[in-house]
Amino acid sequence: MPSDNPGPAGPAAVLCGLAGWVPPRVVTNDDLAARLDTDETWIRTRTGIRRRHVVEPGQATSDLAVEAGRRALRSSGSETADAVIVTTTTPDRPCPATAPVVAARLGLAGAAAFDVGAVCTGFVYGLATAAGLIAAGVARRVLLIGADTYSTVVDPLDRGNAIIFGDGAGAVVLRAGDADESGAVGPFDLGSDGAHEDLVTIAAGGSRQRSTGAEPTHAERHFAMRGKEVYRHAVTRMAASARTVLTDAGWKTDDVDHFVPHQANLRILHSVADDLALPRERCVANIEAVGNTGAASIPLALADAVAERRLRPGDRLLLTAFGGGLTWGSCLTTWPESAPRPQPERTTR
Ligand code: UT7
């Protein structure tokens, strides 16, 4: 999106609910080292991750999305929404979308419901989509859920990816309001470069593979990532995107109280913060406890920051994400005055 984007003409989208949920089962680095050619120290020092949560057999992305969505609605003080967006790379099935069943299970049948796919950038794309629905007058309250179950697509014997990813869901509620209210989201910067589609893939299950008529191989059925190349793109694209929204809003880097990046790898997060000349202490990170949870990672990090009483009304936030596609995006917001109500404890312990 060009940086001369004039912004929405209608009502602004204002944050009024937030929650995260991770499945109870924990996989530690030691658990992984027991079955893979890796060790606890390598994982911790190269990624910042100590443990992650994974689903039980039979549990699907929608199950996590419903838990996070219900808690987010509750935290907003109202159980209603007229649109439900689920952003995910691991939908329950290729068809139908996951959002309608999530909406129905939350008692929101009748609401507009659809999925957004932008891999690990999904939450920022979803925020922009929700803001667009509100600005266009299509919806007054939107429930946006980022949910992923990477444990269902990563080959458990792939040491490059099995160590990074975890399962989880995070959700926010946005209501129609004014652009100058605290909690209003925007401006946004969104971008993509499909020339690098092969860096992050699940080759099988879509029309490209199915139209061949051939049975997919083991590798094609699983998530694949060229980690080192992705790493380099992640740092440069996230930093550039962050700079674009800061410039659009007229904020200086020092105006940012909390940098909330997609939790890809702690080293990536710190490199982006360093590149932006942001003190690392302003970086909100819970990757240690949850790993990389894809589209869930930003709202899960926010939920944990709220539970730790780290975010104060009026604080300025910079959200930045990067993912397969390639895709990237950033958004600014201020922390709302009243809701979302803080949760009693971190969701991810
Ligand atoms: O969510 C958005 C998209 N994803 C990301 O942004 C993730 C981006 N990538 C990464 O986070 C990192 O590239 C990884 C964590 C995937 C890998 O870390 P790295 O520091 O880039 O390691 P590497 O791939 O350069 O490998 C370094 C060495 C290699 O050994 P040699 O060739 O130097 O002897 C690997 O074979 O580490 C080896 N290695 C491992 N060793 C122990 C790779 N994975 C492991 C492992 N345990 N799990």
Side-chain angles (χ1 to χ4, degrees):
M1 197 177 281
S3 60
D4 57 359
N5 164 25
V14 177
L15 280 171
C16 64
L18 167 73
W21 195 81
V22 290
R25 190 167 143 221
V26 173
V27 175
T28 65
N29 291 351
D30 285 328
D31 294 335
L32 291 174
R35 63 175 163 84
L36 289 171
D37 180 18
T38 187
D39 62 83
E40 201 285 326
T41 310
W42 194 97
I43 303 171
R44 185 167 35 78
T45 56
R46 301 295 270 229
T47 68
I49 300 165
R50 290 175 187 268
R51 58 193 177 280
R52 69 287 293 142
H53 293 246
V54 298
V55 292
E56 298 293 344
Q59 224 172 4
T61 295
S62 64
D63 300 324
L64 278 56
V66 165
E67 294 292 343
R70 182 177 292 124
R71 287 166 171 79
L73 287 168
R74 242 180 244 147
S75 85
S76 78
S78 162
E79 309 275 312
T80 65
D82 37 25
V84 176
I85 302 172
V86 172
T87 174
T88 185
T89 305
T90 51
D92 287 13
R93 293 175 287 199
C95 174
T98 302
V101 71
V102 170
R105 286 173 60 189
L106 289 170
L108 297 171
F114 58 97
D115 291 1
V116 165
V119 196
C120 295
T121 317
F123 184 74
V124 176
Y125 268 68
L127 265 185
T129 307
L133 290 179
I134 288 172
V138 174
R140 302 272 315 161
R141 277 174 62 86
V142 180
L143 172 63
L144 166 65
I145 308 171
D148 267 313
T149 51
Y150 272 91
S151 70
T152 63
V153 292
V154 168
D155 178 352
L157 297 179
D158 172 3
R159 71 172 181 169
N161 289 312
I163 59 154
I164 301 177
F165 289 96
D167 300 339
V172 292
V173 182
L174 298 134
R175 63 166 173 81
D178 296 326
D180 54 7
E181 278 185 71
S182 59
V185 298
F188 287 90
D189 171 65
L190 303 179
S192 75
D193 185 357
H196 298 288
E197 63 168 339
D198 289 338
L199 294 186
V200 179
T201 55
I202 302 171
S207 56
R208 177 75 62 206
Q209 172 266 318
R210 292 174 86 99
S211 69
T212 66
E215 279 300 310
T217 64
H218 178 84
E220 285 169 341
R221 284 192 289 106
H222 288 96
F223 178 86
M225 177 168 69
R226 305 222 299 263
K228 233 179 170 44
E229 285 163 78
V230 172
Y231 189 115
R232 280 196 290 269
H233 279 286
V235 174
T236 54
R237 306 289 196 180
M238 285 169 87
S241 177
R243 279 200 180 87
T244 301
V245 276
L246 290 172
T247 304
D248 282 357
W251 290 15
K252 291 190 280 300
T253 303
D254 203 42
D255 293 332
V256 175
D257 298 303
H258 307 284
F259 171 46
V260 191
H262 163 53
Q263 310 283 302
N265 177 324
L266 191 62
R267 287 159 55 219
I268 293 178
L269 313 193
H270 286 162
S271 295
V272 177
D274 293 351
D275 193 307
L276 295 171
L278 261 171
R280 288 184 181 183
E281 310 82 72
R282 295 195 204 170
C283 179
V284 172
N286 68 346
I287 189 170
E288 167 186 302
V290 289
N292 178 340
T293 55
S297 85
I298 287 181
L300 269 179
L302 283 173
D304 278 348
V306 169
E308 290 170 351
R309 309 283 196 272
R310 191 168 163 186
L311 306 183
R312 300 190 185 286
D315 280 0
R316 292 176 169 213
L317 275 63
L318 162 63
L319 317 183
T320 301
F322 173 84
L326 300 175
T327 53
W328 56 85
S330 297
C331 165
L332 300 178
T333 188
T334 45
W335 199 244
E337 290 297 331
S338 47
R341 290 199 291 268
Q343 295 166 342
E345 58 188 37
R346 282 173 59 117
T347 50
T348 51
R349 288 217 196 279

